Amino acid sequence: GDSVTQMEGPVTLSEEAFLTINCTYTATGYPSLFWYVQYPGEGLQLLLKATKADDKGSNKGFEATYRKETTSFHLEKGSVQVSDSAVYFCALSGTGANNLFFGTGTRLTVIP
Amino acid sequence: ETGVTQTPRHLVMGMTNKKSLKCEQHLGHNAMYWYKQSAKKPLELMFVYSLEERVENNSVPSRFSPECPNSSHLFLHLHTLQPEDSALYLCASSQDGTGRDEKLFFGSGTQLSVL
């Protein structure tokens, strides 16, 4: 069945460091891919998405490229800030409705 | 503020108690969801309602009973829970629940502890 696998974490980085959080997926057909972010004490919010191969989603300095050949959707940011500390979830939406599959989440802590 | 409000924020209950979680959305959406968030596990979809009709129930134990009286409100009634049901319960809404690219709006969750 459809699923996503993301790096477990936790990840701890210094401010201004480069961030990569890996996400790979298994799906039939052509899913849409998402990154959601959960800040402390809050619910998940959509960070970015890509709906077809080679699309790049971007928002708030974060980017992820839909790579069909490697079935990946890795999240990157060139220079993280303390305010980026949160849990990041990779997700995919398959061919049917109401079936958004989430990963386990990766906790990121950015220290000054 | 996402427009989805959950109460209570925290709940501690014994295994013989009955309690309810409440979710309200102010976005005019037609679909609402319950998710369970446990440590080191993928977010689990529990229930989906679209236009107040339940459209998905992912084999959730009967000790969890959802109720959707209208498109703005969603409840999760809890009874005779087990300690392994302790988790963060998240409510979400979306425009109509039929599009695979729909954006979900989440509440802040209810942190449930079962003793």
Side-chain angles (χ1 to χ4, degrees):
Chain A
D2 295 354
S3 66
V4 293
T5 302
Q6 60 181 110
M7 61 189 286
E8 270 199 26
V11 175
T12 302
L13 295 173
S14 297
E15 210 165 17
E16 300 183 3
F18 184 85
L19 168 72
T20 300
I21 300 178
N22 290 338
C23 173
T24 56
Y25 68 89
T26 302
T28 54
Y30 304 96
S32 294
L33 301 172
F34 307 82
W35 278 99
Y36 277 78
V37 58
Q38 184 180 32
Y39 297 105
E42 299 183 14
L44 282 71
Q45 305 172 27
L46 180 65
L47 180 60
L48 53 85
K49 73 175 186 180
T51 58
K52 62 183 188 296
D54 300 325
D55 267 4
K56 178 186 284 187
S58 61
N59 186 24
K60 299 182 181 180
F62 290 89
E63 293 183 341
T65 302
Y66 188 143
R67 301 277 189 209
K68 189 169 182 293
E69 62 277 13
T70 55
T71 61
S72 65
F73 193 55
H74 304 322
L75 182 68
E76 296 181 337
K77 186 174 185 181
S79 175
V80 293
Q81 305 301 312
V82 172
S83 57
D84 294 326
S85 298
V87 181
Y88 292 82
F89 291 86
C90 185
L92 75 80
S93 180
T95 53
N98 305 315
N99 61 350
L100 192 62
F101 296 92
F102 285 88
T104 55
T106 302
R107 181 175 298 279
L108 169 67
T109 302
V110 181
I111 54 177
Chain B
E1 180 59 48
T2 63
V4 180
T5 304
Q6 289 187 244
T7 54
R9 290 296 300 269
H10 303 273
L11 178 62
V12 179
M13 59 187 289
M15 290 191 284
T16 58
N17 292 158
K18 289 184 180 181
K19 298 285 185 183
S20 295
L21 311 185
K22 180 181 175 182
C23 177
E24 184 174 0
Q25 57 95 1
H26 311 277
L27 301 168
H29 288 166
N30 292 316
M32 296 187 77
Y33 309 74
W34 280 116
Y35 280 89
K36 178 182 179 182
Q37 184 179 1
S38 304
K40 298 188 178 181
K41 290 185 179 180
L43 216 59
E44 298 174 47
L45 177 62
M46 300 176 72
F47 300 103
V48 182
Y49 279 82
S50 181
L51 295 173
E52 301 143 50
E53 296 290 325
R54 189 191 304 180
V55 297
E56 188 141 348
N57 172 0
N58 285 344
S59 302
V60 178
S62 59
R63 57 186 183 268
F64 295 92
S65 174
E67 178 189 0
C68 188
N70 55 62
S71 59
S72 299
H73 293 86
L74 184 65
F75 295 89
L76 188 63
H77 303 300
L78 316 171
H79 63 97
T80 59
L81 294 191
Q82 304 299 310
E84 60 264 29
D85 297 322
S86 298
L88 181 68
Y89 288 84
L90 292 167
C91 174
S93 71
S94 68
Q95 188 59 52
D96 59 15
T98 59
R100 71 174 200 161
D101 294 337
E102 280 199 327
K103 178 179 177 180
L104 294 184
F105 293 76
F106 283 83
S108 301
T110 296
Q111 185 66 53
L112 174 67
S113 298
V114 181
L115 305 179

